[in-house]
Amino acid sequence: MSTPYPFTAIVGMRDLQLGLLLNAVSPRIGGVLVRGEKGTAKSTAVRALASLMPPLRVVAGCRFACDPAAPDPGCPDGPHEEAGTGESRPARMVELPVGASEDRLVGALDIERALSEGVKAFEPGLLADAHRGILYVDEVNLLHDHLVDLLLDAAAMGASYVEREGVSVRHASRFLLVGTMNPEEGELRPQLLDRFGLTVEVAASREPDERVEVVRRRLAYDDDPEGFAARWAGDEERLRERIAAARALLPRVRLGDGALRQITATCAAFEVDGMRADLVMARTATALAAWAGRTEVEQADVRQAALLALPHRRRRAPFDAPGLDEDKLDRTLEENSPRTDEEPAPPDGDGPDGDGPDGGPDGGGGLPPQGPPPEGAADASGASSPPPETGTGEGSEGAEDPGAPVPRQTGRSVSETPPTGEPDPQAPAAAQPTAATGEPFRTRVLTVPGLGEGAAGRRSRARTAHGRTTGARRPHGALGTLHLAATVRAAAPHQHARGRRGSGLLVRRDDLREAVREGREGNLVLFVVDASGSMAARQRMSAVKGAVLSLLLDAYQRRDKVGMVTFRRGEAEVALPPTSSVDAAAARLETLPTGGRTPLAAGLVRAREVLRVERLRDPARRALLVTVTDGRATGGPEPLARARQAARLLAADGVASVVVDCEAGHVRLGLARELAAELGGEAVTLDELRADAVTDLVRHTTDARTVRRAA
C-alpha cells in the first residue's frame, strides 16, 4: 500500500481538517461534504485521515467487521456468541466509484441459487466493507441520485437493508461518510445536501508564499514518500492520540440548556427546514468541546458548529452560493446567550482558557500545530487566524453549415436598419448595458419525444434501472431485477418434462426474466438566445432573461445538462459549453450583452455543431433545443434563405426543438412560429411558457414532420 500524504503536513485548509476530525471524533454528526475547485487537496485530505483512525478489534472471519465486545445480533455471518477478543486490523477507507451499481454498493443476493437451490447467498457490498471505517465518495454530485439516497439512508440508520423478491438481508453499516465535489460540474439536490452533516468550502490560496509551501511539500513527498511521512510521524501520532482522547471524553460533555437554546434559535433565524440541522449542530458543538478537551459546550462551539452545519441548509435564492451571514449569526447568539453574572463569551470565541478564534486550544479550529516543515521550509500555519485555504498541490480530478430558417417575412419587410428605439449596432459594447434579469417563474415541462436510455433524471421518458415495471425480457449478461411473475410463467410449461411431479417449481437459468422498467432521464437542454438589437428594443430582454432563467431553474431540478449559444453583431458564440453546472449558465445569462444585427442562421449553425460534438461525447443523452428569438434575421447575404436551410438541417438530425416567441407589439410578423415549423418543433410565447398555460409545448417530432409532408 502506498504511503499516504500526512494529514498534519497539509498547508492551511483549517475548516476542511476540522470538519474531518470532528466526524472522526463523533461519526453520528453524519459526515462532511467538501465543495471546492479542482486541485485543492480534497481527496488527499480524506485519504490522509484514514491513517489517523484508531485500529479496530473485529470478530475473526466476519465479513461485516463485528465488534467482539458487542457483536451485531443480526449479522448475516453470525451469531457470534463466543467472539472472544477477536483480531486487530486498521480502519478501512472504502472508495465508492461514480459508476458503481446498486448491487456493488449494498451487496447482491444470488437470485439464481435462491430460486433453484433455496440457498440465501449474500455477497457483501461496499457498505459492509466500510462498516466502522470511512466511506469516501469522490465527485458525489455525479453519482446517481438513487445511489446517493441509499448511501445516506444507511449513514442515517447505521444499517443497510437488501430486499429482493422476498429475500431480505440486514447488516450494520456505520461509517464516516465523506463526499467531495466540484460545484462547476453540477450541484446536489437540496434534499441530498441536507443529509450531509457538515459542509466545507475549499479554494486554493492566492498568496504566493502559501502556494510556494504547498509546492515545496508536495515535491518533497513525491520524491520520497516514506522519508517525508517519517518527518511528520511525531505530529501524526500526537493527532491520533488526541482523536482517541476526544472520543473517550465525548460521552461526558454536557450540552446545557443555554447552549441548546442558542442552537435552536440559530436554526430558526436562518429558516432551515426540519429538525436535522438542530441535531447536527448539537452533535457538532459537543464534538468541538470534546476536541478542545472541555466537558461543557460554550458559545464558541455553537458558533463554529453553525458555520459548518448551516450554510448548505439555509434557504437561499436559486443559484445563490451557500454561505452564512456571520453578523446575523453573532446577533442571534448574543440575543439568546444565557443571562448569568459572568461576562458572556465574545462572539469570536476567545474563552477563559485562551482558546483560539475557532474554539480550540491551538487556534485555527482547534487543530494542532503543523510542526516544523520538512527540509527547513517555513511553517505556513503559524498565524493565529486560519490562513487562506490551499492544498497539497495535487489535482483532484479532475465549420459552419449554411444558415437557418427564418420563416417567410410577410407584411412589412425587415430592413438592414434597426427599428426605431433599438441600440445602434455600431455603438461600442460599453454603451450597451446588459438588461436586468426578470423574476423567474415555474415553467411548463418541456420533454423530448420518444423513449431514451440516458442518464437518470426527471425530464423525458426513458428505460432505466429504477421506475415502474412495464414488461419483462430475457437477461442480457448478469441478471438485473428479477421479474418473478414472468419467470414463473416461463418455467411452468416445462415442469412435466423436467420430471416435477409434486408441489414446487423447478426453475432453470433459461426461465429467468428480468424486469423492464421505465423512468425519467436528464437531457441536454441547449439554449440558443437571440441577443441582437431587436431583442433589446422595448425592454424585452429583461423578460427574455427571466424566461431563460426559469428554464435553467427547471433544468437544475430535472438533472439536465445545459449549454448556451448566443448570436448578435453578425456572429454566434458558445457562451457556455454543455455542462452540469446550471449555476454557470445563470451567471453567463446575467452578464449577457445585447445589440447589433440578428445572425439567426449563424446561431442555428453553431448550435448544430455543439449538438454534433456532444452526441459523440455522450450518445445516450438526448438533446432539446430551445431557441429564444423573435424570428428576425438580418445581416449577411440571403439571411432568410440561410436560416431556413440551417433549420431544416437540424430537423433532419432529429433534434427536438421548442421556439420561445419573444415578438411583442400590436403588429406581429409571426416569424418565430414559421421558424418552429421549419425546425419541426413547437412555438410558444413567453406567456404560454408558464406552468399555468393550457397548451402543450412539445409535440412528437414525427407528428410534426407528418403534417409538413402532408402539406
Side-chain angles (χ1 to χ4, degrees):
M1 179 178 178
S2 60
T3 303
Y5 192 94
F7 192 84
T8 51
I10 296 174
V11 180
M13 305 295 254
R14 291 295 189 171
D15 284 345
L16 171 57
Q17 290 175 297
L18 181 61
L20 293 172
L21 289 170
L22 291 177
N23 274 275
V25 172
S26 177
R28 294 184 65 194
I29 288 174
V32 58
L33 175 66
V34 186
R35 297 163 43 95
E37 58 197 21
K38 55 185 177 293
T40 49
K42 301 186 296 292
S43 301
T44 297
V46 178
R47 295 187 177 98
L49 178 68
S51 63
L52 297 175
M53 301 292 285
L56 302 178
R57 303 295 302 181
V58 299
V59 175
C62 179
R63 297 175 297 168
F64 301 88
C66 281
D67 185 354
D72 180 10
C75 177
D77 283 355
H80 306 297
E81 298 176 356
E82 298 181 2
T85 59
E87 60 186 14
S88 179
R89 67 163 175 80
R92 291 174 179 164
M93 191 196 79
V94 177
E95 295 193 43
L96 175 63
V98 170
S101 65
E102 180 179 344
D103 285 349
R104 183 72 186 99
L105 177 63
V106 301
L109 293 170
D110 192 331
I111 299 297
E112 294 180 49
R113 293 186 63 191
L115 286 176
S116 59
E117 303 176 23
V119 176
K120 188 169 70 174
F122 178 69
E123 185 65 29
L126 296 178
L127 291 179
D129 293 341
H131 181 44
R132 303 175 67 196
I134 299 174
L135 182 59
Y136 172 49
V137 189
D138 194 13
E139 307 297 352
V140 64
N141 52 322
L142 303 182
L143 198 66
H144 286 305
D145 284 352
H146 74 279
L147 293 182
V148 179
D149 286 329
L150 290 170
L151 181 68
L152 297 177
D153 283 343
M157 296 185 296
S160 175
Y161 296 85
V162 184
E163 297 188 14
R164 291 180 62 179
E165 307 300 341
V167 182
S168 177
V169 173
R170 173 224 169 260
H171 63 83
S173 183
R174 294 183 295 276
F175 46 82
L176 193 168
L177 175 63
V178 183
T180 59
M181 60 175 283
N182 183 350
E184 293 180 356
E185 297 174 340
E187 288 283 359
L188 278 171
R189 288 189 287 121
Q191 296 92 329
L192 301 180
L193 276 174
D194 182 61
R195 301 295 293 274
F196 279 94
L198 310 179
T199 186
V200 176
E201 296 278 341
V202 296
S205 172
R206 300 297 182 257
E207 293 294 328
D209 290 343
E210 292 274 357
R211 299 176 75 96
V212 165
E213 187 59 28
V214 169
V215 175
R216 178 182 289 120
R217 295 188 185 186
R218 185 68 203 191
L219 291 177
Y221 170 78
D222 290 340
D223 290 341
D224 183 11
E226 291 79 10
F228 184 84
R231 290 193 288 274
W232 292 90
D235 291 324
E236 293 284 285
E237 183 58 31
R238 283 189 289 273
L239 189 55
R240 192 176 293 109
E241 292 172 355
R242 186 171 176 184
I243 293 174
R247 281 186 168 186
L249 181 62
L250 185 65
R252 303 201 304 272
V253 176
R254 177 179 176 272
L255 178 65
D257 289 343
L260 186 56
R261 181 175 182 80
Q262 287 182 316
I263 289 171
T264 56
T266 300
C267 292
F270 285 96
E271 299 181 339
V272 298
D273 295 325
M275 297 298 297
R276 184 175 285 116
D278 305 64
L279 294 170
V280 171
M281 270 192 68
R283 291 167 180 159
T284 305
T286 303
L288 279 162
W291 180 247
R294 291 183 270 102
T295 57
E296 188 81 19
V297 173
E298 298 180 355
Q299 179 170 312
D301 302 323
V302 176
R303 186 181 193 276
Q304 183 64 49
L307 293 174
L308 292 171
L310 296 188
H312 60 302
R313 291 187 169 92
R314 70 172 180 85
R315 290 189 179 180
R316 51 194 175 101
F319 311 121
D320 280 356
L324 215 60
D325 184 342
E326 295 193 33
D327 291 336
K328 179 179 178 179
L329 173 61
D330 291 335
R331 288 195 304 271
T332 303
L333 293 176
E334 283 301 314
E335 290 170 0
N336 293 275
S337 61
R339 303 305 180 193
T340 65
D341 294 335
E342 299 178 3
E343 187 70 20
D348 64 0
D350 293 335
D353 299 324
D355 293 346
D358 290 314
D362 305 296
L367 296 173
Q370 291 184 331
E375 302 180 354
D379 185 6
S381 62
S384 59
S385 60
E389 291 174 331
T390 183
T392 65
E394 180 191 41
S396 66
E397 319 273 76
E400 291 199 350
D401 283 341
V406 165
R408 182 174 40 87
Q409 299 192 17
T410 56
R412 64 179 181 182
S413 63
V414 180
S415 68
E416 297 292 322
T417 304
T420 304
E422 296 183 5
D424 181 1
Q426 306 303 321
Q432 300 178 15
T434 59
T437 303
E439 288 296 321
F441 51 84
R442 188 166 66 91
T443 67
R444 291 185 62 89
V445 180
L446 307 177
T447 60
V448 177
L451 193 63
E453 294 182 345
R458 300 180 62 196
R459 183 175 296 277
S460 302
R461 294 175 56 213
R463 296 184 181 93
T464 61
H466 299 270
R468 63 186 182 89
T469 300
T470 58
R473 66 182 179 188
R474 291 179 180 271
H476 303 290
L479 178 68
T481 303
L482 180 73
H483 194 298
L484 186 58
T487 298
V488 171
R489 286 196 299 269
H494 308 289
Q495 298 307 297
H496 182 74
R498 293 172 184 172
R500 177 67 67 181
R501 295 292 186 270
S503 60
L505 189 71
L506 181 59
V507 179
R508 293 180 177 172
R509 169 70 186 178
D510 290 343
D511 302 325
L512 297 178
R513 298 292 184 270
E514 65 181 6
V516 175
R517 297 178 182 271
E518 183 177 310
R520 294 281 169 175
E521 67 177 359
N523 299 119
L524 165 62
V525 182
L526 181 63
F527 295 93
V528 181
V529 182
D530 184 349
S532 64
S534 65
M535 295 289 287
R538 295 178 290 276
Q539 299 182 340
R540 273 185 284 161
M541 202 59 195
S542 177
V544 168
K545 284 188 175 183
V548 177
L549 182 65
S550 303
L551 290 167
L552 285 172
L553 180 59
D554 181 69
Y556 165 71
Q557 294 169 340
R558 298 185 187 281
R559 313 298 290 167
D560 296 316
K561 290 180 70 174
V562 297
M564 188 180 300
V565 173
T566 63
F567 57 94
R568 63 185 286 268
R569 288 184 172 275
E571 63 181 12
E573 65 173 346
V574 180
L576 183 72
T579 175
S580 296
S581 177
V582 182
D583 291 21
R588 300 289 175 89
L589 178 69
E590 187 68 30
T591 58
L592 179 65
T594 59
R597 302 194 185 282
T598 311
L600 177 58
L604 294 174
V605 168
R606 183 58 60 90
R608 184 171 183 248
E609 178 64 17
V610 170
L611 293 177
R612 183 188 69 80
V613 173
E614 191 63 22
R615 195 178 298 118
L616 295 174
R617 292 175 178 169
D618 191 357
R621 188 182 291 268
R622 298 184 297 163
L624 174 65
L625 183 70
V626 179
T627 305
V628 185
T629 182
D630 58 6
R632 295 172 181 267
T634 61
E638 300 182 350
L640 300 183
R642 295 184 70 244
R644 292 190 184 101
Q645 183 179 1
R648 287 192 290 269
L649 288 171
L650 282 164
D653 290 342
V655 177
S657 297
V658 173
V659 176
V660 179
D661 184 359
C662 302
E663 191 174 23
H666 296 293
V667 179
R668 302 197 179 195
L669 305 180
L671 304 179
R673 294 190 178 275
E674 293 187 25
L675 173 62
E678 293 285 358
L679 286 167
E682 183 80 5
V684 55
T685 65
L686 292 175
D687 289 337
E688 292 170 342
L689 187 61
R690 296 178 179 272
D692 55 0
V694 177
T695 58
D696 292 330
L697 294 181
V698 182
R699 295 174 183 168
H700 206 291
T701 302
T702 54
D703 293 343
R705 290 178 187 163
T706 302
V707 172
R708 291 206 317 277
R709 292 193 190 100

